[in-house]
Amino acid sequence: MSNSASVQVPTPTPSFDLTGKRVVVVGGKKAIGLGVAQAAHAMGAAVTVASRRNTSVEEHPELAAFEQVVLDISDETAVQAAFEAIGPFDHLIVTAGPALGAWGSFMDPDMRGVRSYLEAKFLGTWACARYAAPHLQAGGSMTFLTGGTGARAKLGLAAVTSTFAAVELLSQSLAIELAPIRVNTIRPGFIDTNFWEVLPPADVEEIRAKVRAKFPARRLGTAGDVGHAAVFLMTNPYVTGTVLEVSGGELLVDWIF
Ligand SMILES: NC(=O)c1ccc[n+]([C@@H]2O[C@H](COP(=O)([O-])OP(=O)(O)OC[C@H]3O[C@@H](n4cnc5c(N)ncnc54)[C@H](OP(=O)(O)O)[C@@H]3O)[C@@H](O)[C@H]2O)c1
């Protein structure tokens, strides 16, 4: 029997309220992470957002309510220093990940693509969890982010599929390892953010049309949809080690890409 089995955890009353809680969103200055930061803030949390650059509040007033931290999750030393500077907090959410297409193909002449993708997405998530863990307060949680590709392999996406699967299994492992800290993963479907901007606009419009037509939810996903799910995972005291799909039903229909 592990030591953690004897830990006595009081039974909390479920609530979506985050008043008095401190939330750190790595990747929270735009897109899905910003949706999570805004949802947590709306429920009363003090929110810190982290990414590789400071974003001007004059240009992005939506960030005015948040503390900003500069952090490259591929840099372990920087991650450790950032969480030491942040100090005690309640909930960690890691949405940061490499840009669309920055993952390499299996038969590339070398493995630089997959190495840098794994370094950022998998080891970056690992590093955030590792160096956040000592600072998480009782009742705290961690939430990671993957995508539907983690559950359904597709030609050309071996690096993404296997990395997302690894992140999801990391969250299950840490749900045991860090208990009673709760650790979960959100697996989004198509979320209409600037993530897709690297594609030609006509291609993005085509994808949007397919999502509206084929996904059972019959609409585009929003960062707010993921934010809503993240608040649920932060506040529900009995959910741990799970993968929560927020996908409009993407995995129930054929691949649209
Ligand atoms: N949007 C979708 O439909 C969708 C669906 C499934 C899965 N996903 C996954 O979700 C992730 C986030 O996507 P998104 O839609 O939120 O858009 P995004 O534009 O990819 O947002 C990524 C965020 O992470 C930060 N970031 C990137 N690399 C970082 C690093 N090394 N260290 C620290 N921060 C870093 C970026 O800010 P800085 O540039 O300032 O660092 C940005 O705030 C993606 O990696 C993708 O795999 C997205």
Side-chain angles (χ1 to χ4, degrees):
M1 190 187 296
S2 74
N3 290 339
S4 59
S6 61
V7 172
Q8 292 300 307
V9 183
T11 305
T13 308
S15 159
F16 290 97
D17 188 17
L18 287 168
T19 305
K21 303 297 182 191
R22 193 166 174 219
V23 172
V24 175
V25 187
V26 180
K29 294 177 198 168
K30 64 179 178 185
I32 292 175
L34 178 60
V36 172
Q38 289 173 325
H41 184 254
M43 296 315 297
V47 179
T48 299
V49 290
S51 79
R52 290 168 296 182
R53 60 207 109 215
N54 250 326
T55 305
S56 140
V57 173
E58 286 69 38
E59 286 170 37
H60 293 276
E62 68 276 16
L63 294 177
F66 310 136
E67 176 192 37
Q68 289 198 40
V69 167
V70 174
L71 168 64
D72 183 340
I73 61 172
S74 302
D75 180 344
E76 181 182 345
T77 307
V79 173
Q80 180 173 18
F83 282 104
E84 273 169 17
I86 288 168
F89 68 104
D90 298 283
H91 302 288
L92 170 72
I93 299 89
V94 186
T95 66
L100 178 65
W103 39 67
S105 297
F106 185 74
M107 289 305 286
D108 280 353
D110 61 57
M111 290 169 60
R112 275 180 294 179
V114 65
R115 278 188 205 285
S116 77
Y117 189 72
L118 269 168
E119 187 73 42
K121 184 69 192 175
F122 179 66
L123 294 179
T125 300
W126 180 301
C128 290
R130 165 64 187 85
Y131 292 109
H135 303 291
L136 279 189
Q137 305 286 86
S141 74
M142 298 182 179
T143 302
F144 305 154
L145 187 89
T146 58
T149 316
R152 185 159 64 170
K154 182 176 172 16
L155 191 64
L157 293 181
V160 184
T161 299
S162 44
T163 301
F164 281 180
V167 169
E168 292 180 1
L169 270 292
L170 174 65
S171 75
Q172 282 190 15
S173 304
L174 297 188
I176 298 169
E177 187 117 6
L178 301 176
I181 295 292
R182 297 175 301 101
V183 188
N184 295 290
T185 297
I186 295 174
R187 184 196 288 157
F190 177 90
I191 307 295
D192 197 24
T193 72
N194 49 277
F195 176 73
W196 300 97
E197 278 172 6
V198 296
L199 298 178
D203 291 4
V204 182
E205 272 317 311
E206 194 181 326
I207 293 169
R208 287 185 179 126
K210 286 182 184 168
V211 170
R212 288 191 189 98
K214 295 195 170 182
F215 281 22
R218 296 287 191 271
R219 69 166 176 84
L220 307 179
T222 68
D225 292 326
V226 181
H228 186 266
V231 168
F232 165 74
L233 291 174
M234 284 181 239
T235 54
N236 186 300
Y238 210 51
V239 178
T240 192
T242 195
V243 177
L244 178 56
E245 206 178 296
V246 184
S247 72
E250 172 184 338
L251 293 183
L252 301 174
V253 296
D254 291 341
W255 269 108
I256 62 159
F257 301 106

